């Protein structure tokens, strides 16, 4: 059974710091991995999608990496800003025929202090 | 381009009442799903659809029904609401190709 773990559960940093959020998964048979951002009381906003054949994806100050063999992904946020404060969720789509179930981690709650 | 639209945003039901949560997407996505999000439990898949006329159960389907008569719409029906169904419900869609999921803004449901 695929399980996704995100460490740390919460992180507080001063504005301007570069930071890394971690995501690990137990089964390397994944189709892709997606990072989301969730603001309090809001929906999920997709940040980056990495296909199983890719090593990394970049969007602005965000860079996500994927090491499928070791079951790990990281989300790197450069020059953090107070507006980056949110919960970040990692989700994997298992590579099983007909599977539509995204397996989510429980998230990392990020606070960026001015 | 509205993406995935969910209505209502908030709803309070009495135990035993029924209701339908609406979900519509305008991206011509084949795949649509319903998730519920509960504190400490994360997001769990309720039902999903791989195209019009085709639906299947997810991880926690009991107490919910779905149908998919069009590509755009995927309503979730609560047959007889129970307090255990108090949750935030998210609808999501993705294209048939290698794209990722787009989520709606959610419906916060309270059953008293």
């Amino acid at each position: 059974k695929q399980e996704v773990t995100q460490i740390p559960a919460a992180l507080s940093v001063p504005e301007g710091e570069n930071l890394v959020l971690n995501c690990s998964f137990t089964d390397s048979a994944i189709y892709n991995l997606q990072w989301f951002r969730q603001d309090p009381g809001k929906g999920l906003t997709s940040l980056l999608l990495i296909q199983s054949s890719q090593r990394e994806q970049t969007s602005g100050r965000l860079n996500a990496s994927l090491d499928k063999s070791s079951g790990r992904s990281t989300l790197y946020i450069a020059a953090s800003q107070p507006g980056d404060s949110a919960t970040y969720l990692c989700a994997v789509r298992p590579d099983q025929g007909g599977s539509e179930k995204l397996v989510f981690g429980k998230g990392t709650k990020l606070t960026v202090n001015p | 381009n509205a993406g995935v639209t969910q209505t209502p945003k908030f709803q309070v039901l009495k135990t035993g009442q029924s209701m339908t949560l609406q979900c519509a997407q305008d991206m011509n996505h084949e795949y649509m799903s319903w998730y519920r999000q509960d504190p400490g439990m994360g997001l769990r898949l309720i039902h999903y659809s791989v195209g019009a006329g085709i639906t299947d159960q997810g991880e926690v389907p009991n107490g919910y029904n779905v149908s998919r008569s069009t590509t755009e719409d995927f309503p979730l029906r609560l047959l007889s609401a129970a307090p255990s169904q108090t949750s935030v419900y998210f609808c999501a869609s993705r294209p048939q190709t290698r794209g990722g999921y787009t989520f709606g803004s959610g419906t916060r449901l309270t059953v008293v």
Side-chain angles (χ1 to χ4, degrees):
Chain A
K1 178 186 173 186
Q2 179 73 269
E3 293 182 356
V4 178
T5 304
Q6 291 187 247
I7 295 173
L11 181 64
S12 181
V13 300
E15 181 177 3
E17 268 203 11
N18 303 326
L19 58 100
V20 174
L21 306 181
N22 296 294
C23 171
S24 61
F25 45 96
T26 55
D27 188 341
S28 62
I30 66 169
Y31 195 80
N32 55 39
L33 183 147
Q34 200 166 356
W35 282 94
F36 295 91
R37 167 190 174 135
Q38 186 174 29
D39 294 286
K42 304 294 185 183
L44 280 68
T45 300
S46 180
L47 298 174
L48 289 165
L49 170 72
I50 310 178
Q51 304 295 342
S52 62
S53 58
Q54 296 176 321
R55 298 285 291 183
E56 66 178 316
Q57 283 285 338
T58 298
S59 176
R61 293 183 294 108
L62 306 179
N63 176 279
S65 69
L66 174 64
D67 184 342
K68 202 172 74 160
S69 60
S70 67
R72 295 184 180 185
S73 176
T74 61
L75 180 67
Y76 174 83
I77 303 177
S80 59
Q81 303 170 357
D84 294 329
S85 298
T87 296
Y88 290 81
L89 295 163
C90 164
V92 300
R93 185 174 150 209
D95 188 9
Q96 298 168 2
S99 172
E100 276 304 304
K101 177 185 169 183
L102 276 180
V103 183
F104 283 86
K106 295 211 164 76
T108 294
K109 184 176 181 181
L110 173 65
T111 303
V112 181
N113 301 300
Chain B
N1 190 346
V4 178
T5 302
Q6 291 184 239
T7 56
K9 293 191 182 305
F10 302 93
Q11 184 70 47
V12 179
L13 287 180
K14 294 183 179 179
T15 297
Q17 287 185 318
S18 63
M19 81 159 293
T20 299
L21 279 62
Q22 302 291 344
C23 176
Q25 52 91 8
D26 61 358
M27 298 172 284
N28 202 32
H29 285 174
E30 289 291 323
Y31 294 82
M32 297 186 74
S33 306
W34 277 101
Y35 286 82
R36 59 178 288 173
Q37 185 177 36
D38 302 289
M41 303 291 290
L43 284 116
R44 293 178 292 171
L45 180 65
I46 305 171
H47 284 285
Y48 65 94
S49 169
V50 300
I54 306 170
T55 64
D56 207 345
Q57 296 182 350
E59 189 178 359
V60 287
N62 292 341
Y64 307 95
N65 271 359
V66 292
S67 60
R68 184 99 179 268
S69 57
T70 67
T71 299
E72 294 78 20
D73 300 300
F74 191 41
L76 178 72
R77 297 182 185 84
L78 278 69
L79 309 172
S80 177
S84 62
Q85 293 179 305
T86 293
S87 187
V88 181
Y89 291 85
F90 290 103
C91 179
S93 73
R94 72 166 182 89
Q96 192 173 12
T97 53
R98 286 152 41 103
Y101 284 85
T102 299
F103 278 74
S105 58
T107 295
R108 188 173 296 271
L109 176 68
T110 302
V111 182
V112 298

